[in-house]
Amino acid sequence: MKFKIVSREDKRSEKIKVTMKQYLTDFELEYDREEPEIVISVGGDGTFLEAFHRYVHRLNRTAFIGVHTGHLGFYADYTPDEIEKLVIEIAKTPFQVVEYPLLEVIIRKNSGERDRFLALNESMIKTAEGSVVFDVKIKGEYFETFRGDGICISTPSGSTAYNKALGGAIIHPAIEAIQLTEMASINNRVFRTIGSPLILPKHHTCLLEPKKDKSFLISIDHFTRTYTDVKSIQCRVAKERVRFARFRQFPFWNRVRDSFVTEDGK
C-alpha cells in the first residue's frame, strides 16, 4: 500500500512523522507523494484540511486518517502515544472506509470565468467594503435579500467549526446537507432576513447573487481569496465525498462530546 504523511511541521509532529515513515517502510509499505492510497495527517484540524486539499483531486482513491498533536483534533482518531498501534493496524489490517459529505462552491464572474472548489468544513463570504448584500435563491426561487457581515456555508462535519460559533446547528455527517448561517445580519423595519440557520438537503442548490459591485473575501476552509466582478456564488452538496480510513469505531457524537462537553473524554 502507498502512503503519505502530512505534518504540521512543528518539532513534535515532525518527530512523529519520521518515526511513522520509518515503521511503515519497514513493513514494506511504499511512501508515495503523488498517488497515496492513505494520507496520514499529523497535527491539528488545520493540518488535516491541508492534507485534504493537497489530495482533493483524488478523493475516490485516497483515504485520510489523523494523528492529533494540536489543541483540538476533531478529525484525528489517534494520539501520539498510539503511534505503534496505528502503524501495525495500517500495515496489517484492512481499513473500513467512512465517507462524509462535502460542499461544492462555484464562483461565476460577469466575464464568464468560473472557479469551482470543494470544502471539507465551510465557505465564508465577506467583504472589506461594509456589508455584503445578496439576493438568496434556493432551488432557483428567490428567498430573501441578505444584508450583514457575511454568510457561512458549512458541511455536516464542518458544522462543529465556525458555524457552531455563529449559533448554527451541529449536523451528523450521515445527513447529506449543507447549512447556511448568517454573520451579523441587519434586521430592522426596512431590512429583514430569516434570522435562523438554513439546512438544505443535497438536491437543493443555494445561489447568492450580489446586489452591489464589490470585492468579496471568499474562504474555502483555511484559505481565502479576493474576488471582484462576481455574478453569483453557487453552493450545494458536492457529488464527491471525503473518505476516512477507520481501524476502530469512533462515533461522531463521541467526537462532539469529547471536543466540546467533557474534559479528557470523562
Side-chain angles (χ1 to χ4, degrees), residues 24-261:
L24 288 170
T25 51
D26 287 346
F27 276 114
E28 299 184 349
L29 274 68
E30 179 183 351
Y31 194 74
D32 190 321
R33 293 179 175 85
E34 301 300 324
E35 299 180 342
E37 297 166 71
I38 187 168
V39 172
I40 305 161
S41 166
V42 181
D45 284 344
T47 310
F48 198 97
L49 290 173
E50 179 185 345
F52 166 78
H53 283 280
R54 190 176 299 184
Y55 294 99
V56 71
H57 61 286
R58 48 177 293 115
L59 293 178
N60 62 336
R61 293 161 289 173
T62 296
F64 300 84
I65 192 166
V67 176
H68 164 48
T69 62
H71 296 293
L72 180 62
F74 193 85
Y75 287 116
D77 287 352
Y78 291 83
T79 57
D81 59 357
E82 297 177 303
I83 292 305
E84 291 187 8
K85 178 181 179 181
L86 174 58
V87 166
I88 293 171
E89 287 178 333
I90 293 174
K92 302 291 186 180
T93 309
F95 57 81
Q96 177 188 5
V97 172
V98 175
E99 297 183 343
Y100 281 6
L102 298 171
L103 166 67
E104 177 192 68
V105 180
I106 298 176
I107 303 166
R108 293 184 173 90
K109 292 188 174 185
N110 290 307
S111 63
E113 295 179 49
R114 167 187 127 140
D115 286 341
R116 179 181 185 267
F117 301 99
L118 296 178
L120 177 58
N121 268 4
E122 75 273 302
S123 176
M124 288 181 283
I125 299 99
K126 298 184 286 186
T127 181
E129 305 173 22
S131 298
V132 300
V133 184
F134 287 116
D135 276 348
V136 180
K137 295 182 178 179
I138 299 175
K139 291 188 68 179
E141 297 288 335
Y142 173 81
F143 181 76
E144 68 177 11
T145 298
F146 173 85
R147 293 172 174 85
D149 284 358
I151 293 178
C152 173
I153 306 101
S154 61
T155 65
S157 55
S159 67
T160 60
Y162 193 56
N163 167 77
K164 181 178 180 296
L166 293 171
I170 295 178
I171 303 175
H172 193 284
I175 300 172
E176 294 185 272
I178 59 172
Q179 183 169 186
L180 277 70
T181 307
E182 298 179 354
M183 303 166 63
S185 60
I186 298 173
N187 282 286
N188 51 38
R189 289 182 299 172
V190 179
F191 304 126
R192 299 297 300 171
T193 67
I194 192 66
S196 300
L198 300 176
I199 299 172
L200 306 183
K202 66 178 181 178
H203 58 287
H204 286 194
T205 297
C206 173
L207 195 68
L208 307 175
E209 296 181 339
K211 296 282 285 183
K212 296 181 179 179
D213 185 16
K214 292 186 175 184
S215 65
F216 295 96
L217 301 172
I218 302 178
S219 67
I220 305 293
D221 289 333
H222 61 307
F223 66 88
T224 302
R225 289 179 58 180
T226 300
Y227 279 87
T228 57
D229 190 40
V230 175
K231 179 180 180 181
S232 66
I233 303 167
Q234 176 181 298
C235 304
R236 62 186 176 190
V237 176
K239 293 180 181 178
E240 300 91 336
R241 296 168 66 87
V242 62
R243 302 166 70 242
F244 294 93
R246 292 279 189 263
F247 294 97
R248 62 185 181 188
Q249 295 297 316
F250 197 163
F252 177 78
W253 295 119
N254 288 9
R255 293 176 189 270
V256 174
R257 179 199 63 205
D258 294 351
S259 296
F260 301 109
V261 181

